[in-house]
């Protein structure tokens, strides 16, 4: 089945906001300080006027021990930012200039 849908976003960012109880064996991105990073990301996208970049907070992306994690499409690149400066670098380099931040890219395997 082929749907002729327009590409709405040049980049679409999905950010894991999963919150599990303290001590849960899988952990969670929220327990690893993800929420302040995603708030920073949303603010930077808005401040830069990136109307062609979509952002969504999601549930579990499946790699809990590696979090906090975000994935950028259409490239399918996974990032593990740790600081607000990492978020700024991802926005300025990848989302604005289409240049991935290699030092923050995660190669994930199941």
């Amino acid at each position: 089945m082929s749907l002729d849908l327009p590409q709405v976003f040049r980049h679409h960012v999905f950010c894991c906001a999963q919150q599990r109880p303290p001590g849960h064996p899988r952990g969670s991105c929220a327990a690893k300080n993800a929420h302040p990073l995603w708030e920073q990301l949303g603010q930077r996208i808005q401040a830069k006027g990136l109307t062609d970049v979509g952002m969504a907070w999601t549930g579990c992306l499946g790699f809990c021990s590696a979090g906090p994690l975000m994935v950028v499409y259409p490239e399918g690149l996974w990032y593990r930012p740790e600081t607000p400066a990492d978020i700024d670098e991802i926005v300025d380099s990848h989302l604005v200039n289409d240049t991935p931040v290699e030092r923050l890219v995660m190669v994930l395997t199941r």
Side-chain angles (χ1 to χ4, degrees):
M1 176 169 156
S2 175
L3 298 175
D4 189 22
L5 297 174
Q7 181 175 342
V8 178
F9 300 116
R10 185 171 52 86
H11 295 292
H12 204 151
V13 185
F14 296 90
C15 306
C16 180
Q18 179 69 43
Q19 176 69 60
R20 291 196 177 91
H24 189 282
R26 289 188 68 193
S28 67
C29 286
K32 296 178 181 175
N33 208 33
H35 291 175
L37 294 174
W38 307 153
E39 289 170 5
Q40 165 92 9
L41 177 62
Q43 291 168 2
R44 291 283 293 176
I45 289 169
Q46 186 174 16
K48 293 276 188 179
L50 300 176
T51 58
D52 59 351
V53 174
M55 177 190 168
W57 289 38
T58 71
C60 184
L61 293 173
F63 301 96
C64 307
S65 65
L69 290 175
M70 59 187 271
V71 60
V72 179
Y73 287 99
E75 298 89 342
L77 284 178
W78 292 74
Y79 285 110
R80 184 182 183 269
E82 295 183 31
T83 67
D86 291 344
I87 293 294
D88 293 348
E89 187 175 359
I90 291 167
V91 170
D92 293 341
S93 183
H94 191 154
L95 302 183
V96 171
N97 294 314
D98 295 317
T99 303
V101 182
E102 290 186 28
R103 71 178 186 83
L104 297 172
V105 170
M106 299 291 298
V107 177
L108 301 172
T109 58
R110 282 210 176 255

